[in-house]
Amino acid sequence: MRVLTADLRAAAELLRTATDVTLLAHVNPDADALGSALALGLALRRRGATVRVSFGPPAEVPETLRVLDVAGLVVPADEVPENPKLLVALDTASAARLGWLENRVATSGQVLVIDHHASNTRFGTHHVVDDTAEATAVLVLAVLDELGEQLDADIARCLYVGLATDTSSFRRATPRTHEIAARLIEAGADPGLMTLLDAHPFAWLPMLGRVLARAVLEPDEAGGLGFVHTSVHRDDMAGVRLEEVESVVDVLRTTVEAEVALVLKEMTPGEWTGSLRARSAVDVRAVAVALGGGGHRLAAGFTTTGTVDEVTQRVRVVLRKSVPT
Ligand code: 5GP
Ligand code: MN
C-alpha cells in the first residue's frame, strides 16, 4: 500500500475525536462503497459517535446489500444534515459521484476522502487515497487498525464483501489480499454471503436472454483485440432489480474473443450509463474519462446522452485511439 502514514494518522486523529459523522457512498453503491461506509460507521458508533450512512440515487439500499446494515445506520439522502460536522466519502473518486449529496462536500466542516480510484480528485480536507489498494475496504481496515479498533463479525462482513467484490472474487488478488481476507474470516465474516449477493430471481433469466441475444462481437475493434457490446433498455428492466441489470456486464465480459466489453444501461429514459470492462491490455478508465466518467483500468463507467448507436460509436472511436499498438 502506498497510502502515506501521515495521511492515515491524520485521518485516525480526525475520527478519534469525532462525535458526529456522516459517511457517504457513491451513487448506485456497490458492496465496496456501502460495505466500507457501514464498516467504518459501525466502528465509530461503537466508539460512541452519532453516525449516519447515506447515498443517492437510488433512494433505497439495493436489496442484496441490506444484510450489511445490521445497526440501521443508513438514512435517506434527504435526512442527511445540511451542515455535517464531519463528512467521510468512501469509494468516491469525485464530489460529483456523490449524486444528490454532492453539495455536502462544500457545506461540511471537514471532509475525509477514503478511496482507491486512480482518478480521485482529492476533493476533501483529509485524504486516505491509494490506487494500489484493491478495494476501499482495505483502506478502511488500515484506518481501523490505526484507530486501534478491533474487528467484530458485523464490521468484518462489510469489509469482506467489499474486498471480494472489487477483486472479482479474488481473481485479482495478491498474497496480502488473502491475508486480509483471512483476518476478516477469522473475525467472523462468512464467505458464503457472496453466494447470496450473487443470487438472482427467475426474472433475471428472460431479461438476460433478451439482452444477450442483442450482443454484438466486433473482433477488429479495440485495436484488433475485440469489442463486445449490448444494451439494457427501460422495458428490459421491468420486473428486475438494479442487481440484475448490473450483472449483465459480468456475463458479457467472459467473451473470450473480446478484450473490451460494454453494456449501455438506460438508467433514466434517454440517458445511458455505460459499464466498461477490459481483460488486461486496454485501459478502459481512459475511455470512460473521455466520455465524462471514470473508474479503474479494467473496470470503468460513464453516463451520457444519445442513441445506443451514437454512444457505442463514441466508445469505438476512443477505443481505437487508446489501444496499445
Ligand atoms: P460499474 O460499471 O460497475 O458501474 O463501475 C465500474 C467502476 O467505474 C467502479 O469503480 C465505479 O466506481 C467507476 N465508475 C462508474 N461510473 C463512473 C462515473 O461516471 N464516474 C467515475 N468517476 N467513475 C465511475
Ligand atoms: Mn471500490
Side-chain angles (χ1 to χ4, degrees):
M1 247 179 8
R2 279 199 310 222
V3 58
L4 292 175
T5 317
D7 285 348
L8 261 182
R9 282 217 186 106
E13 215 43 58
L14 195 62
L15 296 171
R16 192 168 283 129
T17 50
T19 54
D20 187 292
V21 188
T22 301
L23 302 116
L24 302 183
H26 61 69
V27 293
N28 199 1
D30 58 8
D32 190 34
L34 196 64
S36 293
L38 285 168
L40 187 54
L42 285 166
L44 295 172
R45 200 184 75 139
R46 201 173 56 190
R47 292 178 62 88
T50 300
V51 168
R52 63 195 74 76
V53 171
S54 196
F55 58 82
E60 287 182 354
V61 180
E63 199 171 74
T64 44
L65 299 179
R66 278 177 206 162
V67 61
L68 301 180
D69 188 14
V70 287
L73 297 183
V74 173
V75 303
D78 57 15
E79 285 178 26
V80 171
E82 278 305 321
N83 300 97
K85 279 189 193 164
L86 172 58
L87 197 75
V88 186
L90 296 116
D91 203 37
T92 302
S94 64
R97 293 277 293 156
L98 292 173
W100 295 335
L101 292 161
E102 178 181 357
N103 81 317
R104 300 304 198 283
V105 172
T107 61
S108 293
Q110 281 169 308
V111 180
L112 167 61
V113 175
I114 306 179
D115 184 36
H116 70 133
H117 288 88
S119 56
N120 192 283
T121 60
R122 299 182 76 90
F123 57 93
T125 57
H126 294 68
H127 302 92
V128 174
V129 174
D130 179 2
D131 67 349
T132 70
E134 51 276 67
T136 295
V138 170
L139 299 173
V140 168
L141 181 59
V143 170
L144 293 178
D145 286 343
E146 186 69 30
L147 268 171
E149 283 299 319
Q150 300 297 308
L151 293 174
D152 63 24
D154 294 338
I155 294 173
R157 179 186 309 118
C158 288
L159 296 177
Y160 186 89
V161 297
L163 184 62
T165 299
D166 269 33
T167 57
S168 297
S169 299
F170 302 99
R171 286 181 182 88
R172 291 186 303 275
T174 63
R176 192 191 59 137
T177 315
H178 287 286
E179 280 163 18
I180 294 171
R183 261 187 82 188
L184 297 172
I185 294 169
E186 271 162 14
D190 175 9
L193 183 57
M194 292 309 292
T195 313
L196 225 88
L197 258 62
D198 288 341
H200 298 282
F202 180 76
W204 180 54
L205 298 178
M207 183 276 280
L208 206 53
R210 279 196 307 277
V211 169
L212 294 181
R214 282 204 294 272
V216 176
L217 173 68
E218 299 178 4
D220 297 335
E221 293 297 341
L225 298 176
F227 176 40
V228 65
H229 55 89
T230 192
S231 48
V232 187
H233 301 248
R234 294 305 297 172
D235 50 348
D236 297 316
M237 294 182 190
V240 297
R241 308 166 305 174
L242 212 52
E243 284 92 327
E244 281 70 64
V245 175
E246 297 300 336
S247 76
V248 174
V249 75
D250 290 326
V251 181
L252 207 69
R253 75 187 305 186
T254 61
T255 308
V256 81
E257 297 94 335
E259 162 70 23
V260 177
L262 167 70
V263 176
L264 292 178
K265 301 161 285 182
E266 193 178 11
M267 301 310 282
T268 48
E271 199 171 78
W272 296 94
T273 295
S275 280
L276 279 160
R277 299 292 186 269
R279 193 174 296 285
S280 62
V282 171
D283 180 3
V284 288
R285 184 174 69 87
V287 180
V289 167
L291 281 107
H296 305 288
R297 213 173 66 80
L298 301 179
F302 60 86
T303 296
T304 188
T305 51
T307 65
V308 167
D309 287 348
E310 283 162 5
V311 178
T312 307
Q313 178 58 14
R314 270 151 65 197
V315 171
R316 234 182 245 117
V317 169
V318 182
L319 267 177
R320 284 175 199 154
K321 289 184 202 144
S322 69
V323 162
T325 48

